[in-house]
Each structure stands twice: as structure tokens, then as C-alpha cells.
Amino acid sequence: MKDTLVQDALVLVYDVITRPRSAMAGVVSPARLREGLFVWAFMLLLPIFSATAQLGRFSLSLLLGTTIGGIVFFLLQVMFIHGAASLFGGKGPVRGLAAGLCFANVPLCFATLAESFIFLLPSPLVHLLSLIAALWSIYLDVLAIKENYGLGTGRSIVALFLPVVIIVVILGIIAVCFVVSLASLVKGL
């Protein structure tokens, strides 16, 4: 059973890399969540292995922090994108979105590997590779939303970025309130 999980996951990863549009249509199936979570867990552990190699020692706090933070971030990402896509009239299962987002982050593995070799490669090249991987991952995120919810490309892009915009606006309002409160305290002294 485990061999089948690994083989299925690797085939899907290959398909997402080589033919993203057609592969993402099959990946967003709720039945692919198991393979998606396997790939996502590997991608979550890859930076830990990279950091361990660079630091020369294992860090339990890094492992726990990355794992817990990654799980919380992934759940929030799925929840907010599902809400935004539903707001724009999209109809699709949350499990399908979760599976799609797991596979959409595959290009970020290349960025992690590039960052691991920063001492061998020129720094601008490493950063360029990381930027390309991030843009590729965003493209796959949009495809996952589009395929899972049946939205157009524009609405899928907005559904992807709307949660980020809302969070930035909320943090901006909190910062302004903090500065105003601090200014009134300083003025009162």
C-alpha cells in the first residue's frame, strides 16, 4: 500500500511538472488528497533537511516549529482560499482544493534545493531560480483553484490573492490604531 502511495504521488508530481494544465484537473480530485498530503509532508521536511545540512546539526525546535507552523499555515490557506473562491461563485470540494494546493507547491522544492547550493552558485542565480519557482507555484495555485471551483482565470487569481489583501489591510488598520494610540499617550505626557 505504501509503495502504491509513493508511486502514485511521484507520477502525479511528474505530471504536474511536465503537463500542469491537464494534470491539475486530475489532481484536484478529493481522492488525491492522500497523495497530496504525502507530497506536502515531504516538501515541509525538505527545508528542515536543508537547514540541518547547512547548520551541521539537527534542531528539534526547527523541526517542531516548521511542522506546526506549516500545518497551521496550510489549513488557513485552504480555508481562506475556499472562502474566497466560494464568494466568487465557485463550487468545489475543500479536499480537492487541498490536494491541488499540495501539488502546486512542488516547484518550491527547486527553490529550496537552489538555496541549499547558495555557497556554490552565484547569489543572483539562486535568487532568480527561487523567483521562477515561486511564480510557477503561483501559476499552479491558480490552476488548482480554477480546476477545483470551475472559475475563470481572473476570478481564480483574485480568490488566491484576496485573503492576502484582507490580512494586509487588517494588519495595516491595527498598525495605524497602534500608532495613533501611542501618539496620544506621548502627547498626553
Side-chain angles (χ1 to χ4, degrees):
M1 180 172 171
K2 193 151 187 107
D3 289 340
T4 304
L5 172 66
V6 173
Q7 290 170 349
D8 290 347
L10 289 175
V11 167
L12 290 171
V13 165
Y14 178 78
D15 287 346
V16 165
I17 291 170
T18 58
R19 46 188 191 94
R21 284 187 179 186
S22 60
M24 199 55 78
V27 165
V28 295
S29 165
R32 294 295 185 192
L33 183 58
R34 187 173 66 118
E35 291 90 350
L37 290 175
F38 175 78
V39 169
W40 178 81
F42 174 77
M43 289 185 302
L44 185 65
L45 294 176
L46 187 63
I48 296 170
F49 296 140
S50 175
T52 299
Q54 289 177 13
L55 293 174
R57 61 182 168 75
F58 177 76
S59 171
L60 183 62
S61 61
L62 177 66
L63 174 68
L64 290 174
T66 303
T67 304
I68 292 169
I71 291 169
V72 168
F73 178 78
F74 180 70
L75 292 174
L76 288 173
Q77 179 187 25
V78 170
M79 181 181 70
F80 285 135
I81 292 174
H82 176 71
S86 297
L87 182 68
F88 291 112
K91 303 271 190 250
V94 175
R95 291 174 54 147
L97 174 66
L101 291 179
C102 287
F103 283 98
N105 289 326
V106 166
L108 297 179
C109 286
F110 299 116
T112 301
L113 291 174
E115 294 290 337
S116 297
F117 294 107
I118 196 162
F119 54 90
L120 295 175
L121 300 172
S123 180
L125 177 62
V126 170
H127 297 307
L128 178 64
L129 291 173
S130 296
L131 176 64
I132 291 169
L135 293 174
W136 185 13
S137 182
I138 289 170
Y139 169 72
L140 292 174
D141 284 337
V142 170
L143 280 180
I145 295 166
K146 184 177 178 179
E147 290 296 330
N148 191 59
Y149 293 100
L151 296 174
T153 303
R155 287 184 180 202
S156 297
I157 291 170
V158 174
L160 178 64
F161 289 109
L162 182 63
V164 175
V165 170
I166 290 172
I167 290 170
V168 168
V169 167
I170 290 171
L171 290 176
I173 291 170
I174 290 171
V176 167
C177 290
F178 177 75
V179 169
V180 169
S181 297
L182 189 61
S184 67
L185 281 174
V186 170
K187 188 177 179 183
L189 294 175

